[in-house]
Amino acid sequence: MSRIDAKFAELRKAGKKAFVSYVMAGDPDYDTALEVVKGLPGAGVDVIELGLPFTDPMADGPTIQLAGQRALEAGMTLQRTLQMVRDFREGDSDTPIVLMGYYNPIYSRGVDRFLEEAKEAGIDGLIVVDLPPEEDSELCIPAQAAGLNFIRLATPTTDDKRLPKVLQNTSGFVYYVSITGITGAAAAQSGDVGPEVARIKAATDLPVIVGFGIRTPETAREIASVADGAVVGSAIVSEIAEGKSPAEVLSFVKSLADGAHSA
């Protein structure tokens, strides 16, 4: 059982919904980002999504794109992202970490080497948004064999014909993208999301977590009430972009976590 599986089993037993937060590794710099990441569990975060900076993040809106640029300009690399996970693990061996990014940096490093290093560093799962199920042999299946969950995204355009393909090698949880388009672009609506989550849950036993378009504690609660949890990324990254201190960022994260946990 992975840390992700264990966390969702624990939440299920407690009758609680999950709160997942996304931050970009190295934004605005290594030390500040590490301080924020280390503070996330204490702010109520159940699963951490850690963004891997990349030069061409096609699924991300301007907020996350700029965060990636700031991180790259500050010298962030795949190697330093893995080091950040190691540094986090020195004080936290329980909170699951999902590395979210694109395939190019992983491919450049070499899949086998990357998976060995990721597992050793303390990463629990991967979300690689530009690898479709047709390419599962590239990374998904080797990742599962290495003991890492491979988390797939389902979207409003994932119809009943496509859904089984998306789910076939997915593990950990399913990430439902609540809106069409890029991150941070529109507001999620629980009335739209609920039926879609129910449709996905009818096809899998995995938890279904909803992200994109969640910016307030109220929306986090509404979305978590119709799913197994909520993900917030752009709204948190915006706080960092505004130059808020780690303490201020974490206070905002706690308000979102409280919202999701009250569902």
Side-chain angles (χ1 to χ4, degrees):
M1 180 181 278
S2 71
R3 284 190 189 96
I4 296 170
D5 298 330
K7 175 56 70 174
F8 280 106
E10 174 193 318
L11 289 165
R12 199 159 39 243
K13 190 174 179 182
K16 285 178 71 177
K17 301 301 179 75
F19 180 67
V20 182
S21 70
Y22 170 98
V23 293
M24 179 67 72
D27 174 35
D29 58 68
Y30 189 95
D31 292 340
T32 305
L34 180 59
E35 187 176 346
V36 170
V37 172
K38 283 183 172 180
L40 292 173
V45 172
D46 298 301
V47 179
I48 297 169
E49 277 183 18
L50 189 62
L52 176 61
F54 181 53
T55 51
D56 189 23
M58 60 190 179
D60 295 311
T63 301
I64 305 256
Q65 284 188 22
L66 290 168
Q69 288 176 17
R70 288 191 298 271
L72 291 168
E73 286 165 8
M76 206 60 183
T77 60
L78 173 55
Q79 180 70 32
R80 295 195 80 204
T81 302
L82 294 174
Q83 185 57 47
M84 182 171 284
V85 177
R86 292 186 194 99
D87 291 345
F88 174 84
R89 286 284 174 232
E90 288 178 4
D92 187 315
S93 58
D94 297 323
T95 305
I97 295 181
V98 175
L99 190 68
M100 185 169 186
Y102 297 82
Y103 186 44
N104 188 284
I106 296 169
Y107 177 80
S108 297
R109 196 164 194 81
V111 167
D112 291 344
R113 179 185 175 192
F114 166 75
L115 291 173
E116 184 178 324
E117 291 177 342
K119 183 71 176 173
E120 173 268 323
I123 289 168
D124 304 291
L126 302 174
I127 299 175
V128 182
V129 295
D130 54 347
L131 273 184
E134 287 74 15
E135 307 296 337
D136 274 358
S137 60
E138 283 280 326
L139 181 63
C140 172
I141 291 168
Q144 310 259 39
L148 294 169
N149 290 127
F150 199 89
I151 294 140
R152 191 80 71 192
L153 275 64
T155 74
T157 59
T158 307
D159 60 19
D160 289 339
K161 184 179 178 184
R162 179 68 174 167
L163 187 59
K165 188 79 174 172
V166 169
L167 295 174
Q168 67 181 3
N169 289 315
T170 299
S171 65
F173 59 90
V174 179
Y175 187 137
Y176 178 68
V177 176
S178 66
I179 56 172
T180 53
I182 54 176
T183 57
Q189 303 291 334
S190 59
D192 298 331
V193 168
E196 289 297 298
V197 170
R199 181 171 70 93
I200 296 166
K201 288 181 75 66
T204 180
D205 292 331
L206 292 170
V208 180
I209 308 302
V210 177
F212 285 49
I214 303 171
R215 308 189 70 85
T216 67
E218 294 73 28
T219 309
R221 181 177 65 248
E222 289 168 13
I223 294 298
S225 72
V226 297
D228 295 303
V231 185
V232 179
S234 293
I236 297 168
V237 173
S238 292
E239 296 283 302
I240 295 169
E242 289 172 14
K244 302 280 181 71
S245 70
E248 290 172 313
V249 172
L250 292 168
S251 176
F252 176 62
V253 171
K254 185 178 187 306
S255 73
L256 296 164
D258 290 347
H261 290 148
S262 68

